[in-house]
Amino acid sequence: MCCGTEREVTVDCPLDCVYLREAHRHEKVASTDPHNFPNQDIRVTEEFIRDHEPLLLFLARTVLDAALATPGAVDFDVREALDALVRTYRTLQSGVYYETRPANPIAANICGLVQSGIEEFREHEPESTGMTRTRDADILGMLVFLQRLELDNNNGRKRGRAYLDFLRGFFPEQTGEQASASSTLIVP
């Protein structure tokens, strides 16, 4: 079996495989029409992203870490988790707390880990800024942005992890302490 033809279709490739990373770098993923993105009513502007850059970096890293910590996770699991998180934060906008959980156990685990990360972020935010600044609407906007990035970077393969590889490219390998990244995310 050739990993070149079966890569991410029937073969589970490790994310650190040099051949997989090289293939992701050179593959041409069909661009998603922004008019087909879900949650069109939620505007995510460049100014919004700039104003909430620490939240974006935190959420992107948390999604990546949650997926990497979940055995068998692929881009489609991340998509399902992000969809559930977006629906949860949409209901919070109406004043109702209803947590949407994916039926897929892998996506549900990712979703739970991201929710835990968000709670931890909110607990520590007053320590660093002196006040709670992050609103549910801010989290919703960033989750929608990450959802759009996933749709734009998913290569469509059943076992594909091009989106995870894309996120991983923004964060240096951690060496015991939280790594930081410069902002180079591009709005789809």
Side-chain angles (χ1 to χ4, degrees):
M1 177 176 341
C2 172
C3 86
T5 58
E6 296 300 313
R7 179 182 298 124
E8 297 183 321
V9 176
T10 60
V11 175
D12 290 321
C13 302
L15 262 181
D16 59 353
C17 171
V18 294
Y19 301 109
L20 177 65
R21 297 197 82 176
E22 192 63 26
H24 284 168
R25 240 188 311 280
H26 295 289
E27 72 187 350
K28 297 203 188 274
V29 178
S31 248
T32 306
D33 181 2
H35 293 86
N36 293 330
F37 284 145
N39 304 301
Q40 287 290 316
D41 60 315
I42 299 173
R43 285 185 29 100
V44 181
T45 64
E46 287 185 42
E47 180 183 1
F48 175 78
I49 292 168
R50 220 177 6 264
D51 291 347
H52 298 87
E53 184 178 4
L55 176 63
L56 173 59
L57 292 174
F58 172 80
L59 286 174
R61 183 67 200 213
T62 302
V63 167
L64 175 63
D65 289 346
L68 294 178
T70 305
V74 296
D75 288 350
F76 286 113
D77 298 316
V78 175
R79 177 181 294 180
E80 198 173 332
L82 286 169
D83 182 59
L85 289 162
V86 166
R87 284 187 280 145
T88 295
Y89 278 87
R90 270 188 174 283
T91 60
L92 284 172
Q93 296 298 297
S94 66
V96 175
Y97 183 81
Y98 177 77
E99 187 174 350
T100 302
R101 297 296 274 184
N104 168 354
I106 294 173
N109 190 62
I110 294 167
C111 187
L113 290 171
V114 172
Q115 278 286 53
S116 295
I118 291 169
E119 289 172 19
E120 190 175 314
F121 178 85
R122 286 187 142 165
E123 286 173 10
H124 294 300
E125 189 176 33
E127 294 170 11
S128 61
T129 64
M131 64 182 163
T132 301
R133 201 179 132 211
T134 305
R135 301 172 306 137
D136 290 335
D138 301 333
I139 294 170
L140 175 61
M142 287 304 165
L143 289 171
V144 167
F145 178 72
L146 290 171
Q147 182 183 48
R148 291 173 184 171
L149 279 177
E150 190 282 330
L151 289 165
D152 204 42
N153 286 279
N154 187 312
N155 62 16
R157 294 191 193 109
K158 186 171 106 175
R159 297 180 183 185
R161 294 188 294 168
Y163 175 62
L164 294 175
D165 195 31
F166 170 80
L167 286 180
R168 192 172 147 181
F170 289 99
F171 301 99
E173 296 299 319
Q174 287 188 335
T175 56
E177 60 185 58
Q178 186 70 15
S180 63
S182 63
S183 174
T184 54
L185 288 176
I186 299 175
V187 179

